[in-house]
């Protein structure tokens, strides 16, 4: 496992690019405002669409830095990423240990390889994205999932799954098939586990409402607002629409490459056996969960690559199912093609693609150290660069203005 730890730690050094605005503007920028009093809130926080729990966690990190006198740019930038990466790596290792214990060494080895070599996981695992947090909690949940048909899930599956849904309601797309599969096949034992988990789930719900209400300074259920705006009102379409087959043609292939084909082969080989072995059942469920998630996401007009991040563990296990049964020669080709696909993409996207939004703020921050009373106007699409969470110096010496997105929404959403 130490090799995986080193690979994950290297992302702090080599991932130097911009991905999407949410990485900053729905996490560290808001946390920076809470602690240091500088920064702006995006329109989503006017309508209470986002859970504040993760924002509070990052704010606590910033507050600790401030109290210790370590609120310097390098620490403000790296501390949230290091925290996110640390939790990610721990939960990923827990998931892999569960795979080894319940599916065998061969499936574990190939799952380990596909996860460690994935350029998209490498690219996102240290980012302060809600989708990365979603994958973290999914790893944690799957470490307690009843992989074997006769084995019920543990409390950790339901509790962490419920917390994931509180933080990002769309996570229910992944947890519903998993929970229903075990509830239908081992009803009494699984229901007993679920009943024991319910009090903890209610505590998490109560805590979420209290924290969000405190953060927004009014009683609020952010999960309902999120669903109402993005699903019922179709508000996500404001940010772009794509055709219904986009995830199949432009979503999955560039993110996972050979793993897409291998996972399909693994699912079909498992499906043909019709769960005749206890080690085939969970793989079938993983396949159904992946198909269900892609289908539901495809029905939404707005689509993004990052939404597919939680399908990673399911697809890697299915790809491992197909790979470990092949000959040594075929396995060598699988390893070669996987590395040839992932390494160049990981190198390019981590070091070159969309690095300008970060570089321009760093360059302005360097200028701010020697100049003052300068006005800067960012004539870019709204929130195209991070701001105060990347450079407090910029705020203290420059007057900064940006374009905003005033989305026209029914004010009664809240």
């Amino acid at each position: 496992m130490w090799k995986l730890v080193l690979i994950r730690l290297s992302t702090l050094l080599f991932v130097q690019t911009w991905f999407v605005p949410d990485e900053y503007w729905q996490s560290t920028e808001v946390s920076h405002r809470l602690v240091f009093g500088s920064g702006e809130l995006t329109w989503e926080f006017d309508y209470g669409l986002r859970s504040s729990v993760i924002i509070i966690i990052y704010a606590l990190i910033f507050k600790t830095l401030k109290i210790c006198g370590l609120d310097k740019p390098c620490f403000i930038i790296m501390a949230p990423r290091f925290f996110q990466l640390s939790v990610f790596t721990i939960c990923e290792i827990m998931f892999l240990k569960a795979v080894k214990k319940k599916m065998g060494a061969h499936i574990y080895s190939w799952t380990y390889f596909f996860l460690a070599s994935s350029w998209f996981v490498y690219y996102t695992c240290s980012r302060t994205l809600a989708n990365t947090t979603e994958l973290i909690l999914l790893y944690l949940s799957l470490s307690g999932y009843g992989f074997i048909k006769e084995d019920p899930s543990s409390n950790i599956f339901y509790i962490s799954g419920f917390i994931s849904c509180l933080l990002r309601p769309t996570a229910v797309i992944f947890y519903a098939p998993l929970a229903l599969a075990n509830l239908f096949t081992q009803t009494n034992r699984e229901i007993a586990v679920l009943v024991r988990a319910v009090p903890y789930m209610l505590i998490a719900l109560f805590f979420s409402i209290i924290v969000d209400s405190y953060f927004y300074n009014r009683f609020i259920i952010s999960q309902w607002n999120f669903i109402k705006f993005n699903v019922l009102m179709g508000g996500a379409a404001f940010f772009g629409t794509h055709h219904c087959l986009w995830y199949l043609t432009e979503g999955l292939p560039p993110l996972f490459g050979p793993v897409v084909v291998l996972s399909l082969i693994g699912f079909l080989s498992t499906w043909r056996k019709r769960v005749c072995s206890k080690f085939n059942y969970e793989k079938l469920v993983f396949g159904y969960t992946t198909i269900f998630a892609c289908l539901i996401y495809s029905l939404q007009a707005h689509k993004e690559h990052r939404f597919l991040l939680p399908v990673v563990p399911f697809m890697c296990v299915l790809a491992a199912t197909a790979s470990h049964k092949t000959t040594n020669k075929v396995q060598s080709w699988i390893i070669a093609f996987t590395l040839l696909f992932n390494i160049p993409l990981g190198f390019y996207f981590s070091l070159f693609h969309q690095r300008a939004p970060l570089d321009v703020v760093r360059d302005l921050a360097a200028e701010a150290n020697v100049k003052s009373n300068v006005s800067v106007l960012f004539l870019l699409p709204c929130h195209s660069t991070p701001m105060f969470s990347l450079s407090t110096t910029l705020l203290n010496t420059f007057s900064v203005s940006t374009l905003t997105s005033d989305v026209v929404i029914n004010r009664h959403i809240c």
Side-chain angles (χ1 to χ4, degrees):
M1 291 291 185
W2 63 269
K3 293 181 181 178
L4 181 64
V5 173
L6 290 178
I7 291 172
R8 295 297 177 241
L9 284 175
S10 69
T11 63
L12 296 174
L13 178 64
F14 291 109
V15 177
Q16 305 173 12
T17 53
W18 166 271
F19 185 18
V20 290
D22 289 11
E23 180 183 352
Y24 296 94
W25 291 99
Q26 291 178 14
S27 58
T28 53
E29 288 288 335
V30 186
S31 302
H32 191 280
R33 178 188 175 96
L34 287 177
V35 176
F36 299 104
S38 58
E40 66 176 82
L41 297 179
T42 61
W43 63 270
E44 292 146 304
F45 292 95
D46 292 331
Y47 296 95
L49 301 185
R50 303 293 176 183
S51 170
S52 62
V53 174
I54 295 299
I55 292 169
I56 297 295
I57 293 175
Y58 293 141
L60 290 174
I61 294 174
F62 287 154
K63 188 67 175 179
T64 302
L65 292 175
K66 185 177 181 179
I67 293 173
C68 297
L70 298 174
D71 49 338
K72 304 295 188 284
C74 59
F75 291 110
I76 290 175
I77 294 169
M78 297 305 295
R81 289 188 61 194
F82 181 77
F83 170 81
Q84 186 87 327
L85 180 66
S86 299
V87 180
F88 182 96
T89 306
I90 291 170
C91 292
E92 188 172 43
I93 290 173
M94 290 176 64
F95 165 70
L96 285 170
K97 287 184 175 179
V99 171
K100 185 176 184 178
K101 178 181 178 181
K102 299 178 180 180
M103 296 188 186
H106 293 297
I107 299 297
Y108 157 78
S109 298
W110 280 100
T111 303
Y112 181 108
F113 169 72
F114 289 128
L115 285 175
S117 62
S118 171
W119 79 265
F120 192 56
V121 175
Y122 187 88
Y123 180 67
T124 55
C125 65
S126 64
R127 297 184 184 273
T128 51
L129 276 169
N131 308 92
T132 303
T133 303
E134 188 178 0
L135 179 56
I136 289 172
L137 289 169
L138 183 59
Y139 275 146
L140 183 61
S141 297
L142 291 177
S143 70
Y145 185 62
F147 281 87
I148 303 172
K149 191 172 182 180
E150 293 80 10
D151 182 23
S153 301
S154 66
N155 285 350
I156 195 173
F157 168 71
Y158 290 103
I159 296 171
S160 58
F162 187 72
I163 292 173
S164 181
C165 295
L166 290 177
L167 298 180
R168 188 166 178 83
T170 51
V172 71
I173 294 171
F174 300 96
Y175 289 99
L178 294 170
L180 290 174
N182 269 16
L183 286 170
F184 281 133
T185 54
Q186 41 183 318
T187 306
N188 294 333
R189 297 176 68 189
E190 194 73 14
I191 287 179
V193 175
L194 178 57
V195 169
R196 288 197 300 271
V198 166
Y200 300 99
M201 296 160 68
L202 292 176
I203 291 172
L205 175 61
F206 178 75
F207 177 78
S208 173
I209 294 174
I210 292 297
V211 171
D212 284 343
S213 298
Y214 173 79
F215 177 82
Y216 287 104
N217 201 29
R218 65 184 186 274
F219 177 79
I220 195 169
I221 301 178
S222 61
Q223 296 79 14
W224 166 243
N225 291 340
F226 179 93
I227 294 172
K228 183 178 179 181
F229 175 77
N230 287 291
V231 180
L232 301 182
M233 296 177 60
F238 280 117
F239 305 99
T241 59
H242 304 82
H243 59 84
C244 62
L245 297 179
W246 187 85
Y247 282 120
L248 293 179
T249 59
E250 298 161 65
L252 290 169
L255 297 188
F256 306 115
V259 170
V260 177
V261 178
L262 291 170
S263 61
L264 180 60
I265 295 172
F267 172 70
L268 291 176
S269 65
T270 302
W271 183 79
R272 283 198 299 267
K273 295 181 180 179
R274 296 296 198 282
V275 297
C276 60
S277 165
K278 66 178 182 179
F279 291 110
N280 288 329
Y281 171 75
E282 69 283 347
K283 298 168 191 172
L284 196 66
V285 175
F286 280 15
Y288 287 145
T289 301
T290 303
I291 294 171
F292 177 75
C294 291
L295 177 62
I296 296 299
Y297 272 134
S298 295
L299 296 177
Q300 294 294 311
H302 180 65
K303 301 173 178 65
E304 294 187 44
H305 288 104
R306 62 191 175 98
F307 296 165
L308 292 173
L309 192 56
V311 307
V312 167
F314 304 120
M315 293 186 65
C316 287
V317 168
L318 291 170
T321 303
S323 301
H324 90 279
K325 296 179 180 179
T326 58
T327 63
N328 291 337
K329 183 176 181 180
V330 173
Q331 290 179 358
S332 298
W333 280 107
I334 290 173
I335 292 172
F337 276 118
T338 301
L339 294 177
L340 285 173
F341 173 81
N342 284 287
I343 291 176
L345 287 175
F347 181 77
Y348 171 70
F349 279 95
S350 296
L351 292 173
F352 299 103
H353 182 70
Q354 293 188 161
R355 69 171 297 138
L358 304 185
D359 286 348
V360 69
V361 175
R362 293 192 184 102
D363 289 345
L364 286 171
E367 290 290 318
N369 290 323
V370 295
K371 297 180 181 179
S372 60
N373 299 322
V374 176
S375 297
V376 179
L377 173 61
F378 285 85
L379 291 175
L380 298 167
C382 62
H383 309 116
S384 292
T385 66
M387 199 63 64
F388 307 115
S389 64
L390 201 65
S391 175
T392 305
T393 307
L394 184 64
L395 169 72
N396 293 335
T397 55
F398 282 12
S399 173
V400 179
S401 302
T402 62
L403 301 180
T404 60
S405 57
D406 296 325
V407 182
V408 180
I409 317 171
N410 188 335
R411 295 294 300 190
H412 294 295
I413 188 174
C414 295

